[in-house]
Every structure is written in C-alpha cells, then in structure tokens.
Amino acid sequence: MSSSPAHAPAFTPPKWVSGLIALVPIFPPLYLAALGCLGQLRTLPLTARYILFFFASTQLVAALFTPRPLLSLGLAAARTLLILAMIAAGVYLRDSRNLRPLLWGQLVIFATAWGYTLWTQGLAGVQERLGHPYYYIVSLGLVAVVALWFTVFWRGGRLGWRLPAGLLALATFLAAGSRGPLLALGVGSLAALAFAGRQRRLWVLLPGALALGVAALTTTLNLPLEPVERLLNDQTSGREYVWQDAVQGWQTSPIGGVGPYQGGPYLTYLFKDGCQLTPTLERNDIACPESLSRWSSVWLIAHNAWLHWLLETGVVGLSGVVVLMVFALWRAIQLGDPFVLAVLFGYTAMNVVDVVIAVPSQHFAELWWVAVGISFGAASTPSWRKA
C-alpha cells in the first residue's frame, strides 16, 4: 500500500498524522485538529497571504451589513477560522500524496453504506439510490469520485489493492446515482489531463468513461438499475426554484447578505419541508429529533456555491470567495499536481449545481480548502515533477 521511494513526497508527516487523516471520513470532527496548523500561514508567499487577508476581511466586513450583525460576525469569524485552518493544513502537508490515507477511511464509508442499505432495505434500497446514515447521497457520490482520483493518480505501489478499491468506489458512485459528482469527475479528470504536465495520461479519463459507459449500457439494454439511469437524466430536480429563492433572499440585504448559516428560511422551496435527516434514515422511518428541528435551516443550501455565498455574505463576501477561487485555480495549473487539479476544478464545476465548499461538512468540503492550501504553498518546481 505504500509508494515506492522514487515516488515519495519530499515531506512525509508523522504516522500519527497519517492515522488521523485516515480516520477523518469516519469521524469528521477530527479535522478540527487542523486548527493547530494555523501558524503555517506565515510561511506562505506574500501574494498568497494578501489573498487570504482579503478573503478573511471580506467575510468579516460583510457580516456587519447583515440584519443581525453581531450574530453574523461571530458565525463569519468561526467559519473563516475553520477555512483558514484547512488551508493551513494543506500548507503543512505540502503534497497531495500526504492526503492518501483519506482513502482508507473513505473505503470504510463505502462498505458501511452498502452494508447499512442492504441490511435495512435490501436491494430495493440500492434501487432507490445507495445511502449512508450520515452522508447525504450526493456527498457519498462525491466522496466516491475523490476515492477514484486517489486510485487513478496514485503513482508507485502495486496495482493489486488499487483495482478492488477503485471498483468499490466506482460501484458506490454508480449506486448513488448523483449527477453533480459525475460533472465533478468529468471536469476534474479533464483538468488533470490538460494541466498535469508530464503526468498527462489518457487513463485519467478511465473512471468517467466507465461510469458513462455503464450508464449508457444500462439504458440501452433496459437493465433495472435506476440510480445508474439517473446519471443521464437532465432534470434539475427543482434547483431553479432554490436559485430563485436565493436571489430573492439576497435582494433583502445585497451588500452583506443575510448572514452565515442564516439563509435557510429564505430558501422557501426547501424550508417548507421542515427538518429532515439523510434520505437513507428517512426511508427507515428515522425522523428528525425535535431538538434538531429548530436548527434544520442551518444546513439548507442554495445548490449553487456562488448564489449561496451571495445570499449569506452579499456582494462583499462573494468578492472574497471569487478572488480566492480564481487564484487557487491559477496556482493549481502552475503546480500541475493531477489530484489537486482534479479536486479544485472538479469541485468548481459541481458548485454550479451544489455547494461542496461550504464548511463544516463530512470532510469533502474541507478537502477542497486543503487542496487550496497545497496549491498556495507549493514550490515553483514541485519535487514530484522532478521525479
């Protein structure tokens, strides 16, 4: 499972750090350990520090122009601190290869999803889309995409374990039937192919080609695999109503937005359904506890990252996010790391129809910010490119 020395990163964290990373998908609060890396931000190049200062400043200033400025300021400070901590963790790790232990935790999540769905609902549950007790179906599909990138971009080591790991990730992705992750897989893989320098290989497109091939074959042969058929469905699932709600909500407070984690009540298309847990738990008649009902609006999203940030932080906060994202994508192209390219570009594409960079999450959004940190702190000529 280990890489050969020729493909080892220049910096390798202690084993306990790698173990912690492996456990994060299983117990997400462990990513709070990244707060200990905040000092790493001082090592960044001056331009990167200016970008982060501008980003943080816009988030805090925007909070002052919300309907509830004191509450918004506290929430904006907490969210910005967590984002900066994740970026700092990426600066500390330096190389995307040090994120590989995440794959082991992700494989446990996939096995749990299959086991729980089959145990509680049988094959009918898989037909309704594979789920997990605390990962949303779309989140599960995106994590499966990340796992596919890990297996495809893993240089060195033996193929023996990568093949079953990749097949489990692919099966989970297909059974989740999420089109947003399919968009991330396609765009991210194409970005890795286009900008990874010497690492350009057509085989980076293999997972996406297999997914589309299975979906097309299922439709052609009329095979009863409903989640796979859904991948080729072009319906928006009501997202256009959510986008309209987000714009109307932003118009009530255009400069600073309505405040972080306070946009839920404005998303009336979603808010009217009340508190809901994951679809998998709902199918098992596990209702949202009364103690959580009052907080249910906190995790409602606008299904478009830029509209979501616009709703919560207005034009001021959105400007900081856009500048940071553009700089991160540009740095990723300079770095040429295929995994970082896939994550940053793939997530950016998926953000058109979902919000996959809003923290906290079950670890997938945090991964995007860690990749930002790797791109910000990378040397002009990365060691893996010299290999």
Side-chain angles (χ1 to χ4, degrees), residues 103 105-115 130 132 140 143-145 147-148 165 168-169 172:
L103 177 60
Q106 291 172 341
L107 293 177
V108 172
I109 293 300
F110 303 155
T112 305
W114 282 97
L130 183 71
H132 188 275
L140 185 65
V143 173
V145 167
L148 284 171
L168 176 59
T172 302

Side-chain angles (χ1 to χ4, degrees), residues 184-227:
L185 177 62
V187 174
S189 299
L190 285 172
L193 178 66
F195 302 123
R198 293 182 183 178
Q199 305 308 309
R200 295 178 187 172
R201 298 290 187 275
L202 286 174
W203 44 259
V204 305
L205 302 179
L206 181 60
L210 283 175
L212 288 175
V214 172
L217 188 64
T218 298
T219 302
T220 302
L221 299 180
N222 293 320
L223 297 177
L225 298 174
E226 295 179 16

Side-chain angles (χ1 to χ4, degrees), residues 326-343:
V326 171
F327 184 74
L329 294 173
W330 175 68
R331 285 293 293 133
I333 293 173
Q334 286 187 316
L335 174 62
D337 182 324
F339 182 80
V340 172
L341 284 164
V343 168

